[in-house]
Amino acid sequence: MGDVTIGVDTLFFVGPFAISTSLGTSLLLTAVVSLAAWLMVRRMGGKPTRRQAVTEAIVSGLEDAVRQVAGVHAERIMPFISTLWVFLICGNLLGLVPGMDSPTRDLSVTAALAVTVFLSVHWFGITTQGWGNYFRHYLSPNPIMLPFHIISEITRTVALAVRLFGNMMSLELAAFLVLMVAGFLVPIPILMLHIVEALVQAYIFGMLALIYVVGGIQSHEERSNSSR
Amino acid sequence: MELNWTTFILEILNFLVLVWLLKRLFYRPVQEMIEKRRKGIEQQFENSRKIQERAENLQNQYEYRLEEWESERQAARSNLENELAKESRRLFDKLQDELEAERKKQEVLTERQVKEQLEKAEIRALELGARFAASVLKELRAEQLEARIIDLLLRQLGEISGEKLNGLATVSEQGRQQEVYIVSAYPLNRIQQQKLEECLQKLLSAPLALSFSEDDELIAGLRMTIGPWVIRANLKDELKTFADMARISGKHFV
């Protein structure tokens, strides 16, 4: 962790587009996670091996966590939320790997994830109830509330992005500062703090995203039910 | 802390690609496998439930059959007991009949034995009576009785019928001398011997050779033997004749 730097470096340029280290790490993370998933799913059979049992336990755990909140919509939402958890856990913990930085310490990455969540809320809402029915809830209880609904959507998305970025950035900065001051006396507690913080932040981000998505679907359903 | 738009946009694409990849490569196959196993388990559970239902039906059938068998066994046992009772009663009655027949047979046998004993006793009594009479008569030394018997014999010989007379004549037809043996209880005097000789001479019409002897066993009277003809005119033979007649009559009676 001695190589920790505060800024985000640029790996290379593709024309006018700068490819940052956090994007490279994210792409690498996507490749590794996909490969690992393919390896875990390979040669599954009716009689489960230990690897298959672990794989099924992970998927079942993720599905149960989503189902407890989303209910009947869990099947549609589960891949998105579960991928968000997997990506954030792995991304947050990447900071522990020597020579690598967490991609979530980059505001561009967290903002991208927050915008993805923002878009997914509308995507699942629209695909569930249709355009008209979904956007009508922005006018309830009366059209005057529309600006407040829009501000609420924007602020919670920004908060989502900034919360993760701020926590991960501050975590790594704090760890850097502690290591600078205390030397090598406290690396293990700092590592433990990093792991716990990474898991907690991933859980919070994913759970908030789940609540937003489910809230968008269920608020509309409640309104539909009350109008009947 | 500045926002890199390239990173921002490519990160969104990267994440959506990751969602798509994991959905296709990870979640869906695993969920399908879990669903497949769940269906397999439900199928096994259903099969187990059917097997259990079948086992319960078989158990119910078995219990029903067991109850039927028990009732059949009770009925068969009751029938067997009835038949045994009937057979036992029949054998008992048969045994009673046999015992009754045996008892009657034994009664008849006993009665016959009693009669035989009684008859033997009577015969014995007759014999004893005859013997007693003989001993009494012997004690009486009845010489006069013998004389009376001889007189009676002579009178009867004189009154003998034609048929018997022919029989005596047949004995002496050959014309030769006929031997006559006369045994008396007491010695005969001369007069008695002459009377007998004259009487026999008259009956037989043949030369006679009389020989006299004594046998006190005759008690009184005499016994004459003329060839095959024997005239028993004495008390011993008379008593013996009475005893034999009583024995014969007793046998016929039995």
Side-chain angles (χ1 to χ4, degrees):
Chain A
M1 295 181 71
D3 296 333
V4 172
T5 54
I6 300 302
V8 176
D9 297 332
T10 300
L11 281 176
F12 53 89
F13 286 89
V14 178
F17 306 111
I19 306 301
S20 62
T21 53
S22 56
L23 179 60
T25 308
S26 295
L27 292 173
L28 181 64
L29 181 63
T30 299
V32 171
V33 168
S34 300
L35 181 63
W38 179 72
L39 290 173
M40 289 173 80
V41 171
R42 198 177 56 161
R43 284 187 292 200
M44 287 203 309
K47 185 178 180 181
T49 59
R50 185 179 299 174
R51 174 172 57 85
Q52 184 177 342
V54 171
T55 305
E56 290 180 358
I58 291 170
V59 173
S60 297
L62 291 170
E63 192 174 4
D64 289 342
V66 174
R67 192 176 298 281
Q68 285 178 359
V69 178
V72 294
H73 302 290
E75 191 175 351
R76 294 186 67 232
I77 299 171
M78 180 261 177
F80 176 74
I81 301 297
S82 298
T83 305
L84 202 57
W85 268 325
V86 170
F87 182 82
L88 288 174
I89 289 171
C90 296
N92 291 346
L93 292 176
L94 266 180
L96 298 173
V97 179
M100 299 191 75
D101 295 327
S102 296
T104 50
R105 65 192 279 271
D106 186 354
L107 181 61
S108 302
V109 174
T110 57
L113 294 175
V115 168
T116 307
V117 171
F118 172 78
L119 295 174
S120 69
V121 169
H122 302 302
W123 168 259
F124 287 117
I126 290 166
T127 53
T128 304
Q129 300 298 330
W131 288 88
N133 288 332
Y134 178 73
F135 284 111
R136 199 173 295 153
H137 87 275
Y138 284 99
L139 301 177
S140 63
N142 53 61
I144 298 173
M145 297 299 292
L146 178 62
F148 299 101
H149 279 297
I150 293 172
I151 292 170
S152 169
E153 293 284 342
I154 292 170
T155 53
R156 79 181 185 187
T157 303
V158 172
L160 202 60
V162 172
R163 182 188 296 111
L164 181 61
F165 161 73
N167 280 295
M168 294 309 296
M169 185 67 185
S170 62
L171 174 67
E172 294 203 350
L173 184 61
F176 173 74
L177 292 174
V178 169
L179 288 175
M180 288 291 287
V181 173
F184 297 99
L185 294 177
V186 288
I188 300 301
I190 292 298
L191 282 175
M192 297 300 294
L193 179 66
H194 199 136
I195 291 171
V196 171
E197 183 68 15
L199 295 177
V200 167
Q201 289 305 318
Y203 177 75
I204 288 172
F205 192 97
M207 188 56 72
L208 285 173
L210 175 61
I211 289 168
Y212 294 158
V213 171
V214 174
I217 294 171
Q218 289 182 345
S219 63
H220 177 72
E221 285 178 345
E222 287 170 1
R223 194 175 60 257
S224 300
N225 293 332
S226 62
S227 64
R228 285 181 196 147
Chain B
M1 183 145 172
E2 60 188 25
L3 192 65
N4 185 339
W5 290 103
T6 304
T7 302
F8 176 76
I9 294 169
L10 290 179
E11 187 63 42
I12 291 173
L13 294 175
N14 173 56
F15 182 73
L16 294 176
V17 168
L18 181 61
V19 170
W20 184 80
L21 285 174
L22 288 184
K23 183 178 179 181
R24 298 291 297 269
L25 293 177
F26 192 57
Y27 303 131
R28 190 178 297 169
V30 174
Q31 285 175 330
E32 287 175 353
M33 181 57 64
I34 292 172
E35 182 66 16
K36 185 179 175 184
R37 187 179 301 110
R38 189 183 61 79
K39 286 182 178 175
I41 291 170
E42 286 179 354
Q43 183 65 36
Q44 285 184 352
F45 183 75
E46 183 67 19
N47 292 338
S48 301
R49 193 182 58 78
K50 288 178 180 175
I51 290 171
Q52 186 180 6
E53 282 181 0
R54 202 166 58 194
E56 287 175 351
N57 288 335
L58 286 174
Q59 186 180 6
N60 291 334
Q61 287 180 5
Y62 172 74
E63 289 175 353
Y64 177 70
R65 290 291 304 276
L66 206 61
E67 290 176 359
E68 272 190 341
W69 287 341
E70 182 66 22
S71 60
E72 287 176 3
R73 190 177 69 83
Q74 291 288 353
R77 184 171 182 172
S78 177
N79 288 336
L80 181 63
E81 286 177 350
N82 289 336
E83 287 179 4
L84 282 174
K86 285 180 183 174
E87 184 67 14
S88 174
R89 197 177 303 122
R90 189 184 67 77
L91 290 174
F92 182 74
D93 292 342
K94 184 181 176 184
L95 183 63
Q96 288 283 73
D97 293 343
E98 287 177 358
L99 285 174
E100 185 66 20
E102 187 68 23
R103 190 181 61 78
K104 287 181 179 175
K105 186 177 173 183
Q106 196 65 31
E107 282 180 2
V108 171
L109 192 62
T110 305
E111 191 177 351
R112 184 184 296 172
Q113 285 177 348
V114 168
K115 284 183 178 176
E116 284 179 355
Q117 291 291 334
L118 189 60
E119 184 184 342
K120 283 180 183 177
E122 287 177 353
I123 292 168
R124 181 65 176 163
L126 287 172
E127 286 177 354
L128 289 174
R131 197 174 298 168
F132 177 74
S135 63
V136 169
L137 291 171
K138 192 182 288 181
E139 290 298 323
L140 290 175
R141 306 187 67 84
E143 292 178 2
Q144 292 180 352
L145 181 60
E146 187 178 73
R148 295 285 301 272
I149 289 171
I150 291 170
D151 291 342
L152 180 62
L153 175 64
L154 289 173
R155 191 169 58 244
Q156 286 182 348
L157 285 175
E159 296 173 356
I160 196 164
S161 63
E163 188 179 349
K164 288 185 179 178
L165 193 61
N166 290 334
L168 289 172
T170 304
V171 171
S172 58
E173 258 180 2
Q174 296 170 353
R176 56 179 179 145
Q177 188 179 29
Q178 184 68 44
E179 291 183 351
V180 177
Y181 300 98
I182 298 172
V183 181
S184 60
Y186 298 97
L188 299 175
N189 55 34
R190 186 61 193 165
I191 297 168
Q192 288 172 329
Q193 289 179 357
Q194 282 180 351
K195 284 182 179 177
L196 283 171
E197 189 176 358
E198 288 172 0
C199 184
L200 291 172
Q201 192 69 52
K202 194 187 296 183
L203 288 173
L204 298 174
S205 302
L208 297 174
L210 278 74
S211 61
F212 294 95
S213 61
E214 288 83 31
D215 183 4
D216 59 353
E217 290 294 323
L218 295 179
I219 304 171
L222 53 81
R223 181 188 299 148
M224 283 192 301
T225 304
I226 307 166
W229 194 31
V230 179
I231 297 172
R232 305 173 194 275
N234 58 77
L235 289 179
K236 180 185 178 184
D237 287 339
E238 286 297 320
L239 290 172
K240 188 173 181 300
T241 300
F242 289 148
D244 289 342
M245 285 177 66
R247 190 183 298 126
I248 290 166
S249 65
K251 283 183 180 175
H252 284 301
F253 179 75
V254 170

